[in-house]
Amino acid sequence: MRAPATDRGRLLLLGCLVTAVTLFTATVPLLRDWFDLRVYYGTVDSWIHHGGRVYDYRVPGTPYGFTYPPFAAVIMLPMALVGLRTAIAAALLLNLAALAVVVRVLAGPGWRRHGWYGVVLGACVLALFEPLRDTFSFGQVNLLLLALVLTDGRLLASGRGRWAGVGIGLAAAVKLTPAVFIGLLLVARRWRAAAVATGVALAATALAALVAPDASRFYWTRALWDTGRVGRLDYVSNQSLQGVLARLGLESKAVWAALVVVVLSVWARRARRAVGAGDWQAAFALTGAAACLVSPVTWVHHLVWLLPSFAVLIRAGQPRVAGALYAVLCTSVVWLWFDDASGIDGFLGSNTYTWVTLGLLLFLPVGHPSTGRRPAGHSASATAAPPSRAAPPITPASDQPGPSSPDAVTGTATGSAAAPGAGLGRARNASSEPTGSTRPTASKPQSSSARASS
């Protein structure tokens, strides 16, 4: 399908698309009523204004409270100075800013050539993505963490890695899942960046221990090991390997641990190959997919970590595959098995998003580095003078390092490099049910009859 050739045609198409997306988001998915943000806000308010303890707070009418490391509560302290509505508005703006950073990093500077038409079209496509819808509706933090991690990826891909690791370290201090990206730095043998990330995470954790010693002691000795605080492992929103096993009735930790080892082995091999080819975007995409699989709990809104994978597929010339998988993650299909995930159809359907994530880990194209600037010491000079018309082409000396991309060995020197770091190396009434897209309301989001929050 070709895009309209005139501005009038484009306006008409976008008007119809925006209307359709608005109607869809207003009528099909149930809103989450900022449930997770209410957890954050209530925790900070109870801690600061009422002398409560961080991990004792529960949202009224539910058994759910704060589950993140203490540093997350510390950086959320400014919420104690504002009302809930202001906190909601701030969360919306922060998530929008984080989404802009993520899109900018993944798309690279080439997004400008699409102009206003491409921006609006992209916004409509992103609005349909269920993990993003849930992230905004819950008031979640995963999009902010993704922006921090991808910023580090851009620094590494562009050769400006002096500060690489800071974003990953901060993300790991707020939530444990991004710590897998420290593993990526180790696999890639980026020792400095790994040390920076580890140091930042430890420093942030130490700061939280100074500010909230009791909360830190409780979290690291008790709360961290209590998965029941997060929600039911067999709940359909849990699209991790642990969730698949729980819905099968397999509670063996040994089986889960063996699957985790297999997944991490596959991830390490493929990520090492991607880094070796200079394909940092694929390496970060593979790490995001692996993190979603091995985490004991991966709610649907955590799957924003799959966004880099779609950018890799498009860049590798597989837009139809990217579109098909993306469309699946827009459907809320897993909720069809909300009540009963038994049988073959339940096994396949209720874990649909897990199968998508696993497929991305196994088959995501790697070895397609972007055209961004290579790290210092690994790129050929782009300033060599062209040969004279009378002289034959000059073959580069064997001891002079040359670029590894096919375009760099054609015998004609390129006069300029692409922008550094492009693409990482390229109101209805809110439901009282915080999670879920097609089910009626319920008062307990993590119970067997309600949708889960993180």
Side-chain angles (χ1 to χ4, degrees), residues 33-86:
D33 197 23
W34 320 108
F35 185 84
D36 287 0
L37 184 62
R38 291 177 186 273
V39 172
Y40 310 152
Y41 184 86
T43 298
V44 171
D45 180 69
S46 173
W47 179 25
I48 300 302
H49 298 302
H50 304 286
R53 295 190 298 182
V54 170
Y55 296 101
D56 285 349
Y57 174 80
R58 297 292 184 273
V59 175
T62 78
Y64 306 109
F66 200 74
T67 60
Y68 297 164
F71 179 70
V74 170
I75 63 174
M76 292 177 184
L77 282 176
M79 284 196 291
L81 305 175
V82 300
L84 178 59
R85 292 185 178 180
T86 303

Side-chain angles (χ1 to χ4, degrees), residues 6 9 16 74 85-86 89 94 121 147 172 194 197 207 266 349 355 385 389 402 435 440:
T6 65
C16 294
V74 170
R85 292 185 178 180
T86 303
L94 286 173
L121 185 63
L207 174 63
V266 173
W355 308 141
R389 296 181 181 179
T435 334

Side-chain angles (χ1 to χ4, degrees), residues 41 54 126 140 152 176 233 307 329 358 426 440 454:
Y41 184 86
V54 170
L126 289 171
Q140 255 286 339
D152 272 356
L176 297 180
L233 294 178
L307 282 174
L329 288 166
L358 185 60
R426 278 236 359 121
S454 70

